């Protein structure tokens, strides 16, 4: 099976998964305890206003008709307008405003574990049973065990008292930022703007990527330990191949294979974790927007965001399959060897 045929088949299989996910979302939203009409009119609204709002929002229609309209609007990308959070504002416009901050947070939440956790795990695997191995392994376990919600609150408290604890003020260090702030993303190519945006997002990215960092460190160490004792590595060593070549060409590349589902799987945790982390750090991203829309029963906004989260999750699965074939060309499509 060719690469394009395989991915075309995966895209077709994606359709029922997206359909099922959006259906579950509709059921939860429409049958949940929060009444969107009551959220719109507020506590001071009367019965007449309540009935009028339900009619204008289409909530007086039969449930099956609401379901059909819901699916039609999602799959034609007619996302409508916000009902409560920013009433009357197009959902597309809200996503365009809030998404860049979440993308910036997600990017560094993935990059930091890759740049820190993975090298430490590989180093510990190449130097087993040494002091550095014990320190890296213990640090990975501790870092992995700390819950995101606890770490976020502790980090905010520590940075607030940074001048007393560490002798410098985090807010004025390097560039002027706040501890809890939505990062500014305008003109990132200007060094000062890039540094300010990176510093503003760094605490939240460390918290959101903490679990990934510990996982990648621990599994990276195990993968290197297993790979370095394989027959092909021993054969290359017996032939006199330089150690650097063995490590870079044989050990590291093959150790990455079991890490692919781990790294891509962490993206699902980032989707859920961003809601909590953005709320704690007051980052006005999609996670914070989703939280606000949920507690205010803003059904079009919640449904649209869930739709994009589902698409992103399914797309990451397809990307995982592609990465397998890039890292290890022996992996074929449809169960056949390449």
């Amino acid at each position: 099976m060719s690469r394009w045929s395989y991915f075309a088949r995966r895209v077709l299989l994606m359709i029922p998964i997206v359909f099922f996910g959006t259906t579950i979302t509709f059921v939860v939203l429409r049958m949940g305890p929060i009444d969107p009409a009551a959220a719109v009119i507020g506590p001071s609204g009367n019965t007449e206003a309540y009935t009028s709002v339900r009619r204008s929002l289409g909530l007086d229609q039969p449930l099956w008709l609401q379901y059909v309209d819901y699916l039609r609007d999602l799959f034609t990308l007619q996302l409508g307008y916000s009902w409560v959070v920013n009433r009357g504002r197009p959902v597309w416009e809200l996503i365009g405003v809030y998404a860049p901050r979440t993308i910036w947070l997600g990017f560094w939440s993935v990059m930091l574990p890759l740049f820190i956790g993975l090298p430490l795990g590989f180093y510990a695997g190449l130097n087993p049973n040494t002091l550095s191995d014990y320190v890296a392994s213990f640090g990975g376990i501790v870092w992995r065990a700390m819950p995101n919600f606890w770490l976020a609150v502790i980090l905010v408290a520590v940075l607030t008292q940074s001048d007393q604890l560490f002798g410098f003020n985090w807010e004025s260090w390097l560039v002027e930022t706040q501890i809890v702030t939505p990062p500014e993303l305008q003109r990132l190519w200007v060094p000062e703007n890039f540094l300010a945006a990176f510093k503003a997002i760094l605490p939240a990215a460390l918290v959101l990527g903490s679990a990934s960092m510990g996982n990648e460190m621990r599994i990276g160490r195990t993968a290197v330990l297993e790979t370095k004792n394989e027959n092909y590595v021993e054969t290359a060593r017996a032939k006199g191949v330089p150690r650097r070549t063995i490590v870079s060409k044989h050990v590291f590349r093959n150790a990455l294979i079991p890490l692919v589902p781990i790294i891509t799987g962490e993206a699902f945790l980032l989707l859920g974790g961003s809601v909590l982390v953005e709320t704690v750090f007051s980052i006005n991203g999609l996670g914070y927007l989703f939280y606000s829309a949920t507690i205010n029963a803003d059904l079009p906004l919640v449904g649209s965001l869930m739709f994009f989260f589902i698409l992103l999750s399914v797309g990451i699965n397809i990307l995982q399959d592609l990465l397998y074939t890039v890292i290890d060309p022996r992996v074929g499509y449809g169960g056949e060897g390449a």
Side-chain angles (χ1 to χ4, degrees), residues 199-218:
K199 180 188 169 186
I201 208 67
L202 181 59
L206 282 174
V207 171
L208 191 54
S210 60
S212 304
M213 193 180 303
N215 267 349
E216 291 168 18
M217 188 185 304
R218 179 174 54 86

Side-chain angles (χ1 to χ4, degrees), residues 125-301:
L126 291 173
N127 301 274
N129 302 321
T130 61
L131 179 61
S132 57
D133 176 29
Y134 296 145
V135 171
S137 300
F138 179 76
I141 294 173
V142 172
W143 198 253
R144 177 68 181 88
M146 291 188 292
N148 281 350
F149 63 88
W150 178 85
L151 185 59
V153 175
I154 293 298
L155 191 57
V156 169
V158 168
L159 292 179
T160 303
Q161 304 296 326
S162 60
D163 53 344
Q164 301 177 16
L165 296 174
F166 307 113
F168 71 93
N169 192 315
W170 171 262
E171 293 188 354
S172 59
W173 181 61
L174 293 181
V175 291
E176 189 72 28
T177 59
Q178 297 178 9
I179 296 171
V180 181
T181 177
E184 295 297 334
L185 300 180
Q186 291 82 6
R187 296 190 293 180
L188 286 177
W189 58 86
V190 179
E192 185 176 349
N193 291 347
F194 179 87
L195 182 60
F198 174 71
K199 180 188 169 186
I201 208 67
L202 181 59
L206 282 174
V207 171
L208 191 54
S210 60
S212 304
M213 193 180 303
N215 267 349
E216 291 168 18
M217 188 185 304
R218 179 174 54 86
I219 297 175
R221 176 185 180 274
T222 303
V224 169
L225 283 175
E226 293 177 352
T227 305
K228 66 186 291 189
N229 295 319
E230 293 287 347
N231 291 334
Y232 57 84
V233 175
E234 295 291 344
T235 302
R237 192 177 292 123
K239 289 182 177 180
V241 178
R243 185 175 186 271
R244 178 174 296 182
T245 303
I246 293 175
V247 170
S248 61
K249 187 174 181 180
H250 298 290
V251 177
F252 281 180
R253 181 167 183 175
N254 288 282
L256 283 173
I257 296 174
L259 283 167
V260 169
I262 302 300
I263 296 172
T264 55
E266 298 292 352
F268 301 111
L269 298 179
L270 296 181
L271 289 178
S274 65
V275 178
L276 171 66
V277 171
E278 288 182 5
T279 302
V280 173
F281 286 93
S282 297
I283 297 174
N284 296 326
L286 291 181
Y288 180 78
L289 181 63
F290 180 78
Y291 170 77
S292 302
T294 302
I295 63 175
N296 287 288
D298 197 329
L299 302 189
L301 194 51

Side-chain angles (χ1 to χ4, degrees), residues 3 76 78 85 88 122 220 237 262 295-296 303 308 325:
R3 174 177 297 182
T76 58
Q78 302 296 322
V85 173
F122 282 2
R237 192 177 292 123
I262 302 300
I295 63 175
N296 287 288
F308 282 106
T325 63

